[in-house]
Every structure is written in C-alpha cells, then in structure tokens.
Amino acid sequence: MTADLSSLLNASKALTSHLSRPDLPSVNLSLEQIEAQSRRLVSRQPGTSGDAGRANYLLAQAHVDAPALAQSIAHLNTQATFSPLQALQDTDVAGYLRHAHEQNLISTIEEGRRETQEEFYRVLEDRGRRDWEARKKRVFEQLGARVGGDNRAVADLKKSLHGKNLLSASVGPAPTLQMQSKMMAYDRVVTDLNTARLRGVSYPIVHALIQASLSTNSDPRSLQITQNFHVLTKITGEPPALPPLSHAGAHILNAPVIERKFARAYLGDPESRDAVELRRQIAKGAREALEEQYWDVIERTIQARPMEARLGGDPSVANKVRAYILVRHYRNGEWEDRIELVAGQPLWAKLFYLIRTGHAQEALDEAMRFQQAIEHRESSFLSHLRAWVESPDRRLPKPHRDQLHAAYNAHMLHSSTADPFKLALYKLMGKTDPARRSVAQVTVTTEDWLWFQLSMVDEDEFGGLRGLAEVLLSYGERHFDGVPGQKGARRGVWAGVLLMCGQFERAVAALWDHHETEVEAVHLAIALAYHGLLRVPSRAETSDVTPLTLSPASPPALSLSTLIWRYIRQFVKMDGREALQYVYCVCLSADQPGGVGKEQVENAWELVRRIIVLSNTGAAWEELVGGFRPDGTRFSGVIEQNAPLLKLEDTREYNEQILIRAAKASEEADRIPEAIKLYNLAGDYTTVIAVLAQALGNTIAQPSVDEKARSIERTAADILRHYERTNRAVGKERDAVIRLLRVREAMDAKDAGRIESALELMESTDLIPMDGDVAKITKRAEEFRELPDALQRNLQTFLTLTMDILAAVHQKVKASSLPEATRQSTLAALRKKSRSLIIFAGNLKYRMSPDVYSYLARLDVEIAL
C-alpha cells in the first residue's frame, strides 16, 4: 500500500514537471496557505492600485510564479472543456451515449436558466410598466388633472375643501367627442336595465350592449369587442329578446330569470356540482361562439372568392364547407401537402370543418356517405364518431377512448405523412395528448387554437377549464393582443380569451387597462354582475391602485364600485342623473356572501352622496334629491324614486343614509345652501336652523358680500317663512336667524344711505339695549353669553355697525333744517343710545380688541358734542 501511494505521489509530481523552472523554488503550499499569504501581502500595502511589476514581485516572494500562471491561462484551450475525463474508445457506444446524455442535460439546464432569467426580467419590466401606468392613472384621477393643463374646477374645489377629503371629491377630465358618443350609446342600455329592474322583469343586457357596440364602432378592429359580448351571450345563454308582458304578473310565467342567475354557482364552493356544471357551460358557450364566428368566416370567404369556391346551386352546409376547402387548401390544381383524399374527397378536412363550425351531426351524416371508404382505412372511426356526436358532453366511453388512443399512438402520433385533420379529429374525440395543444395546418389562428383547447377541456381531467386558464395566463397578454402601439396589435383579444376560460374579472381588468376600451370594460362588468358572474372584493381587500384584486388564497375579484366611480367621475358634475344609473348597478352584488354584499350597498350609498355633493346646483340638482314647491308641499327626487335599486327599505333609511349624510358632506365641502336644503328634505329642522345660523354668522363677518352669501340669505329667508307658517324649529336658534337676517338688512340699508331704516332694524333685533336703563343694560350684558354662538362671535360687528349708524344719523340731524327743539331732542336721544351702547360694551364679559373700544369711544365723543 505504501509503495502504491509513493508511486501515486511521484506520478502526480510528474504531471507538472514541464511547468517548473530551476531558477525558482517549488511551491509546497496548500491552497489555503496561498490564499492566506496573498491576503496578508495585500493587507500590508497602503493601496490596491499598485502596478503589475510590484504585484509580480510580491507574489514571487510568496513562491507564486505569476508570469508562468498568466502564460498558462493565455494558452488555455477550452475546446476540450466538455470532453470526457477519460478518452472514449471508438467502440464504446454506451460511454458515448452516456456522455452525450450528460452534455444534453447540462445544455438543457443552461438554456432553461437563461430563458428563465430572460422571462423574469421581461415580466418584471412588464409588471413595472403596468404598475406605473395604474399609479399614474390613479394620481390623475385623484387630482383631476388634464394632460397639458390645470383643472381650474378642481383647484377651486381643493380651495373650498381646505385640502380635506380630496379623493372623494375628485373630478376627472372631460371625455373627447368620440368618447362621449360611445358613452351615450351605452348609457341608454344601463338606463333600460334599471328600468327593467324596477319593474321586476329580466333584461337582455348583453344583446343590448352588442347593438350599442355595433352602433359606435365603425373600425373593423373594434369588432373584437362585439365578438366578446357575443361570447358572453353564449356563455350565459341569454335570449336575444324577452316575451312581452300581457299583464302585471306575466313576467313570472313568461320571462326567464336572468338577474343573478349564476351567482350561487359562481360565488360558492368551486368544487360543488353547480360550479362544475357552470364551468362546463362556460366552455361550451365559448366554443359555440367560436363556431358561429368561423361559420361566418366561411360564408364571407365563399362570397369573396366565388370562382375558386365553385359552390354551385347546392346551399347545404356540407357543400359550403367543400367550397371553402377548395379556396383554402387547393392551389394550382393540387391539394396542400399531407391532405389525404378519401374516395376523391378531402374527407378528413371536410369532417373537421363541419365540427369546427358546430355542425357535428352533419359531419356524421357526411361520414356515413363514405362509410365503406372510411372503414377501409380506419375501421373503427365511424363508431367512435357516432358515439362522440351522440354524447351530450362530447365525451367517449372508456372502451372507445382506449381503442382510439391505441390507433392514434400506433400509426398517427409519430407519422410525418398523416393527414393533420384526421390527427385533429382523433385528438378531439379521444381528448388525446392534451399537453400538445396545437396541430400543424389546423390550429393556424388564435380562434382556431382557442376552439381546439376548449374542445379538449374535460372537467374530470387535467384541471378542466381552470387548468386551461392557468396555461393561458402563463402566455400573457402580449401573446394574444400583441405589443401595444405596434403593427398587428389587436385590442380586446386577450380579454376575449379570459372570458372564454371563465376569468371574468381579469377580462374586465384587461379592457380597463387600455384607454380606448375603458367604456366597454365598465359595461362588461355591469353585464357580468347582472348575470351573477362577477366576484367583488371585501372593503379590506380593495386596492387603491387597481380595481382588480389578486390573492393567492382566493379567486380574483373586481371592485365594481371603484370601476364605476372612475368612469362616472368624468360627467358626474354635468349629468348626475346618468351617473346615478351606474351607481344603482353596484347593488347588483348585494347578495354576495361573507358580508361583502352589505359593503357593496354601503359603497353605492357613498357614491350617491358624492354625486349629490359634486353635482351642479339648480333645477337639475333638485331633480336628484327633491325639493319644495312654492306652496310648501314636498316633491321627491329620482334618488328617492329609485330607492329600491339602492336597497333602501323605507323613508327613514333614505333620510339617514342619503340626505343627512350628504348634507354633512356638503357642509364640509362649504356648500351650505345645498346642505341646508338636504337637512330640510330629511325633516331635520333643528339642524337646518343651526346650520343657517352658523352660515349667516359667517357671512355677517365678511367684509364684502358675494353671491354665495346672498344665496344663503335667500335660502334662510325662504325656509324661515315656511317654518314660521308651520311653527317648526321654535327656539333660540330660529330667533338668532331672524336677528342675523335683520342685521344684514340693516347693513344693506346703511350702504344704501337709508340710515334711519338701518337704525330701526338694529333696534328691532334687540341685541343691544339703548334705553339708558343701567340695571337693564347690565342684566342684558350678562344674558348675552347665553345667546347662540353665531350671535356671540359677531358682537364686535354688531357694536361697530350700530355705533356707525348712530354717528351717521347724528351727523345728518345736526346738518338738517329741523326745528331747533326737534333737532335737540333727537340729538339727545342719539346721545342716550350711544351712551347705552358704551355701557353695554363695558359690562360684557368678552375681551374685544382695544381698537374696537377706542373706535366706539371716539364715535361716542363725537355724538356727545
């Protein structure tokens, strides 16, 4: 053993003998020692930027031959890096295969790593771009900014709000003329929907949206949106028109129930029987929509190229398919490669296109015409086809599937000459090899590929529709819509793909992500919610950035209230009535379990209050909330008339949840006249008077009177007259309103030069005693602190105004030509009133500005002279 080890050591030294140089000592250090030496040498140096000569010198001291190592690296041959460690003999086939297998594994791992890295950075970039676009849109929505200019209305609103509650009051940029035209077409659909809901009848909303889409989209590229709505009609089974009503209860017997029809299955346990059946219906409906679309393609192709089609006088389905195959697969007198002719006919292609267009029974009939020829080539094909066509769920029994799989694997799977349409037929009937999702020459378009996937879906195997959705989501939007802005990009295809695989929330979000399809996104969401095919998140899960909520623990959810608010905010100020029609749709999800439905109703109430606060005042505003006629009778607004759509049970709940809370929001937004009217409509008369007093107190103190202050005063006068007639809200607050209105009248009279009238009005307020009775004045000064706040905080205004009026009257009397006795008695009375005012001011327990006392005293002295 010792000899063997010695010989092994000598042999290892001999491996490097050609590298050694006699002028340098041999290196007898381990790798760890070499590393430690190099680190120690580096640590001794003041810097690490020395020249190459110094480095070589230092390494040589540590017995490291740097030049020799550099020369070895320079002459390193990497071509044999992946060659076998031991040379393989020419006859060592097993060794060669093992080495080739290892190299394939290494290259596959490296290629997979590289592709994964590239995909990671691509997804990261795409996600970052989407995130930034969503956040940018959110910022614009919050600020109400227009690109390239400031929104003056929002600036004014921010100023009035003093920076408070900006989000709830945000308004958006005005839509373009083309966008307005599209929005108006869809508005009518939503209005008709709510009218039907109020009547308790069903409404074919998706068919109505199709008509609206066709009326507004002249661009052929926009027909994809119409096709998406068509897909939804097939998924939901919505009838194009509902039976007419012959009497009040006819809808119960004649009309199908559409509203929230699928909510229980869609929102419940995804593993329940109802949920499985719903997924089957989604796949079936999407497949049928694609079949109808392709049949339309066939008919248009035949009409466009009649000479090549050679249809003749037979308008049957089979003959039209034959004509289409001629156009599609026959060139220059020859059939395309791999097209197999049976009895002189491209029978496999014909059978496939018949099934592709939804004519399975016609395909069976056509196959029976060529029974003998088919059985000569594929003996069991006809029996498989018959069993597949007659199966209600297009699923073969196990014996048929086993035979079909055997035939497929035996002479089709690896054949390079097999007819692709025959291959596709076998895959469809047996749901064979689902991992291979395409067939060359068959699935040539996105729609063909999708139809093929949906036809292969089986809820009992491979995850069913949900498994297909995962595959499609892994492809992403770029795979279907293309890169936005580039030639060939088709907007709406990705949303249609998501619709077909039951990803309804993601489909809406895909449309909402692009400005040109935002209108369709909102109305698609409403249609889905109406049918019960939209899941909304709880308030805690709702995102501020995007309406779509994605969570690994729960299915996707879409905040319908967020989506609707971001849509209606464009026209909420100018057309609150139409905005309300959209808000009513938020309550469609009121039946969602887990408390989410109740939150949706509360969200709808909040949006109604926002609309009330933001809508322009006038007759249109009163049309929303109601008002009072000149005779004092009350009329209801459209919100109260449509209260059932908002799940408001009675008048009390309507007053509490809508009117009173909207009044408080209006008060916070400094829209006092509207707040007063809302409190008045809600029957909260005490609060009406309190708000009036507070608002009048604010206007009295203003140096100049604007239109807003005048509006408050007019509203106060109207309400006061009504309350005095009906004897409502009697008390100090109502008295304060009366006094404040008289003070305003006195101020106007003084400005108009009617100083005697101004003095009479101030005396009628009984705010300042001027009869000269010191005891009474003292008592009134003590009682002043018990008056409402609106009067107390305007004390300085009352005192200076009254003293100014007294001084003006005094000057006028002195300059008048009245008899001397009358003039002296009038001046004495004015001095008595002035002195009473000074005594009253001195007895008040309020700290007023010294300038006010000085001003009052100076005028009192002038009056006394």
Side-chain angles (χ1 to χ4, degrees):
M1 179 63 70
T2 304
D4 292 340
L5 292 175
S6 300
S7 61
L8 182 62
L9 175 62
N10 294 330
S12 64
K13 290 182 177 179
L15 290 174
T16 58
S17 59
H18 65 285
L19 300 175
S20 61
R21 290 172 58 181
D23 56 333
L24 290 175
S26 60
V27 177
N28 295 318
L29 301 175
S30 65
L31 292 177
E32 290 81 1
Q33 291 174 320
I34 293 174
E35 182 182 9
Q37 288 274 14
S38 62
R39 289 183 183 277
R40 193 159 44 248
L41 289 171
V42 170
S43 64
R44 294 175 183 173
Q45 303 305 313
T48 58
S49 58
D51 55 17
R54 183 182 298 177
N56 291 337
Y57 175 76
L58 294 174
L59 290 173
Q61 284 186 337
H63 308 290
V64 176
D65 188 0
L69 292 176
Q71 185 178 5
S72 299
I73 293 173
H75 292 84
L76 179 65
N77 184 9
T78 60
Q79 293 181 353
T81 302
F82 297 102
S83 61
L85 295 178
Q86 295 181 353
L88 296 175
Q89 301 296 325
D90 294 341
T91 58
D92 189 0
V93 177
Y96 172 77
L97 292 176
R98 183 177 64 253
H99 174 70
H101 177 67
E102 291 173 353
Q103 296 309 306
N104 285 337
L105 288 178
I106 293 173
S107 61
T108 301
I109 292 172
E110 176 60 24
E111 184 177 355
R113 185 197 64 79
R114 180 178 54 80
E115 291 179 353
T116 302
Q117 185 178 14
E118 292 176 356
E119 179 69 11
F120 169 77
Y121 284 113
R122 187 191 67 77
V123 171
L124 183 64
E125 180 182 0
D126 188 61
R127 182 63 181 271
R129 179 183 61 81
R130 287 179 177 275
D131 229 20
W132 163 240
E133 291 296 333
R135 291 184 181 276
K136 183 170 66 174
K137 182 187 294 185
R138 183 62 172 165
V139 168
F140 283 145
E141 287 171 356
Q142 288 185 4
L143 298 180
R146 292 187 178 93
V147 177
D150 296 331
N151 191 331
R152 184 175 178 181
V154 173
D156 294 342
L157 186 60
K158 288 165 63 179
K159 184 177 179 180
S160 66
L161 288 176
H162 305 290
K164 299 178 181 178
N165 202 15
L166 179 59
L167 176 59
S168 65
S170 62
V171 291
T176 62
L177 185 61
Q178 182 181 4
M179 185 68 72
Q180 285 181 354
S181 176
K182 182 194 291 189
M183 292 166 69
M184 289 175 64
Y186 284 105
D187 283 350
R188 290 189 286 270
V189 176
V190 177
T191 302
D192 292 342
L193 168 67
N194 289 322
T195 302
R197 291 173 61 199
L198 276 175
R199 296 168 59 197
V201 299
S202 294
Y203 179 72
I205 181 172
V206 188
H207 283 86
L209 291 175
I210 289 176
Q211 296 304 316
S213 174
L214 291 173
S215 68
T216 58
N217 292 326
S218 57
D219 188 351
R221 293 176 298 177
S222 300
L223 292 177
Q224 179 62 46
I225 302 297
T226 306
Q227 174 63 16
N228 291 347
F229 286 133
H230 179 63
V231 169
L232 188 56
T233 63
K234 291 296 181 181
I235 290 175
T236 60
E238 181 186 278
L242 299 174
L245 303 182
S246 57
H247 56 82
H251 65 277
I252 300 175
L253 301 176
N254 299 335
V257 177
I258 295 181
E259 184 171 349
R260 307 299 290 174
K261 178 180 178 181
F262 303 104
R264 182 176 179 182
Y266 187 73
L267 302 175
D269 183 6
E271 305 301 330
S272 67
R273 179 180 300 178
D274 290 342
V276 173
E277 288 301 320
L278 175 58
R279 290 196 290 272
R280 288 197 177 104
Q281 180 174 337
I282 293 171
K284 180 175 179 290
R287 190 177 68 244
E288 290 177 352
L290 290 172
E291 290 167 356
E292 290 185 5
Q293 182 190 32
Y294 201 78
W295 180 250
D296 183 61
V297 170
I298 286 179
E299 290 192 320
R300 285 190 285 108
T301 302
I302 294 172
Q303 292 176 5
R305 302 166 69 178
M307 299 299 294
E308 298 176 55
R310 291 177 278 176
L311 181 62
D314 181 8
S316 65
V317 171
N319 193 43
K320 287 184 177 181
V321 169
R322 177 201 60 77
Y324 176 74
I325 293 174
L326 275 175
V327 175
R328 180 79 182 273
H329 300 288
Y330 193 71
R331 296 282 188 280
N332 302 321
E334 294 183 356
W335 291 99
E336 285 185 358
D337 187 30
R338 295 175 63 186
I339 296 292
E340 181 182 349
L341 300 180
V342 179
Q345 295 283 328
L347 189 60
W348 305 117
K350 187 183 290 186
L351 296 179
F352 175 81
Y353 281 117
L354 284 168
I355 293 172
R356 172 69 179 85
T357 55
H359 300 96
Q361 185 60 49
E362 287 82 351
L364 180 59
D365 296 341
E366 187 72 11
M368 294 304 297
R369 288 181 54 213
F370 299 91
Q371 180 177 0
Q372 185 175 357
I374 291 176
E375 289 181 345
H376 178 71
R377 296 173 183 249
E378 302 291 338
S379 58
S380 59
F381 177 81
L382 281 175
S383 64
H384 298 325
L385 180 61
R386 182 184 299 277
W388 186 75
V389 170
E390 294 177 351
S391 172
D393 56 354
R394 297 285 173 88
R395 181 180 173 85
L396 287 176
K398 191 175 186 306
H400 281 275
R401 292 188 69 181
D402 292 343
Q403 294 178 23
L404 194 143
H405 286 181
Y408 175 83
N409 292 327
H411 61 276
M412 289 186 200
L413 180 60
H414 300 293
S415 173
S416 59
T417 60
D419 189 303
F421 294 100
K422 180 167 69 172
L423 185 69
L425 288 170
Y426 270 82
K427 282 177 69 69
L428 283 176
M429 292 189 296
K431 301 187 188 301
T432 307
D433 200 10
R436 298 188 178 185
R437 298 186 174 275
S438 58
V439 179
Q441 295 181 251
V442 177
T443 54
V444 293
T445 66
T446 299
E447 290 76 13
D448 291 333
W449 187 86
L450 283 171
W451 177 85
F452 202 80
Q453 309 313 309
L454 292 166
S455 300
M456 296 279 287
V457 162
D458 190 337
E459 284 301 316
D460 298 327
E461 296 180 357
F462 305 107
L465 190 64
R466 290 178 293 180
L468 175 61
E470 292 179 2
V471 173
L472 294 173
L473 289 171
S474 68
Y475 293 155
E477 181 177 4
R478 289 171 177 261
H479 187 84
F480 296 95
D481 275 2
V483 179
Q486 290 189 2
K487 186 178 180 180
R490 292 193 299 166
R491 185 66 60 236
V493 176
W494 175 235
V497 170
L498 294 171
L499 272 179
M500 293 181 201
C501 61
Q503 297 292 310
F504 302 123
E505 296 81 9
R506 293 180 189 267
V508 174
L511 291 176
W512 181 256
D513 283 343
H514 305 283
H515 177 69
E516 63 268 31
T517 54
E518 284 182 353
V519 177
E520 289 84 356
V522 173
H523 293 87
L524 176 62
I526 292 173
L528 289 167
Y530 182 64
H531 283 278
L533 293 174
L534 190 75
R535 184 179 290 101
V536 295
S538 65
R539 191 172 294 150
E541 296 173 328
T542 302
S543 171
D544 289 335
V545 177
T546 173
L548 185 65
T549 298
L550 299 176
S551 171
S554 58
L558 186 97
S559 177
L560 184 59
S561 59
T562 301
L563 200 71
I564 284 177
W565 173 248
R566 294 187 184 181
Y567 178 70
I568 65 175
R569 52 181 284 276
Q570 303 173 80
F571 56 88
V572 64
K573 291 187 68 175
M574 303 304 300
D575 200 347
R577 185 164 185 165
E578 288 299 328
L580 283 170
Q581 295 293 332
Y582 286 88
V583 174
Y584 299 149
C585 297
V586 175
C587 293
L588 285 169
S589 301
D591 59 351
Q592 185 162 325
V596 178
K598 182 180 179 183
E599 290 180 352
Q600 295 307 302
V601 173
E602 293 173 352
N603 289 344
W605 295 346
E606 169 62 23
L607 294 184
V608 170
R609 295 192 291 266
R610 289 188 193 180
I611 292 172
I612 293 173
V613 173
L614 289 173
S615 296
N616 290 333
T617 59
W621 186 83
E622 289 193 347
E623 188 180 359
L624 299 182
V625 299
F628 289 93
R629 300 181 181 92
D631 61 358
T633 58
R634 184 182 184 276
F635 64 89
S636 61
V638 295
I639 299 175
E640 188 173 4
Q641 295 167 10
N642 296 324
L645 296 178
L646 293 169
K647 307 299 178 183
L648 294 166
E649 301 296 334
D650 49 35
T651 304
R652 180 192 59 80
E653 190 173 25
Y654 168 72
N655 290 340
E656 290 180 358
Q657 298 296 337
I658 303 300
L659 294 182
I660 292 179
R661 296 186 64 179
K664 292 178 180 177
S666 298
E667 195 176 351
E668 292 175 359
D670 201 23
R671 297 188 64 173
I672 304 302
E674 290 78 13
I676 292 168
K677 291 178 182 178
L678 290 169
Y679 282 125
N680 194 31
L681 286 168
D684 192 355
Y685 308 121
T686 303
T687 305
V688 170
I689 293 298
V691 174
L692 274 176
Q694 190 77 7
L696 288 172
N698 293 337
T699 62
I700 291 295
Q702 292 178 0
S704 60
V705 184
D706 54 11
E707 180 57 32
K708 183 177 179 181
R710 294 299 186 189
S711 175
I712 294 173
E713 291 166 8
R714 288 193 296 268
T715 302
D718 293 340
I719 290 178
L720 200 60
R721 283 193 297 269
H722 178 64
Y723 283 9
E724 288 176 345
R725 187 166 58 248
T726 56
N727 198 29
R728 287 175 176 164
V730 178
K732 291 183 178 181
E733 295 288 349
R734 198 176 84 173
D735 293 340
V737 172
I738 296 173
R739 288 173 166 178
L740 288 167
L741 286 175
R742 289 183 180 174
V743 170
R744 172 55 67 189
E745 290 181 41
M747 296 172 77
D748 293 341
K750 173 179 173 291
D751 294 338
R754 297 181 285 107
I755 53 177
E756 292 86 357
S757 299
L759 182 58
E760 290 177 6
L761 287 168
M762 286 305 300
E763 288 180 335
S764 67
T765 62
D766 201 23
L767 288 170
I768 303 171
M770 290 185 284
D771 56 1
D773 188 341
V774 177
K776 185 178 179 181
I777 293 173
T778 304
K779 182 180 179 182
R780 292 289 300 279
E782 294 175 353
E783 293 174 349
F784 194 84
R785 70 180 63 185
E786 298 177 4
L787 294 178
D789 177 71
L791 295 175
Q792 293 188 39
R793 56 191 170 86
N794 284 292
L795 173 63
Q796 295 185 172
T797 302
F798 302 151
L799 292 174
T800 54
L801 173 64
T802 305
M803 188 62 82
D804 285 340
I805 294 172
L806 289 172
V809 174
H810 180 265
Q811 291 294 330
K812 184 175 181 180
V813 171
K814 284 183 67 175
S816 68
S817 58
L818 292 172
E820 184 64 21
T822 303
R823 191 161 62 88
Q824 289 300 327
S825 64
T826 304
L827 292 175
L830 291 173
R831 295 189 192 98
K832 178 180 178 182
K833 292 176 181 179
S834 173
R835 177 50 48 186
S836 298
L837 188 148
I838 292 295
I839 295 171
F840 178 75
N843 283 303
L844 289 170
K845 304 297 183 182
Y846 295 94
R847 294 185 61 184
M848 291 189 296
S849 170
D851 295 338
V852 174
Y853 285 112
S854 175
Y855 181 75
L856 295 175
R858 180 170 58 80
L859 289 182
D860 179 57
V861 171
E862 292 179 1
I863 294 172
L865 294 177

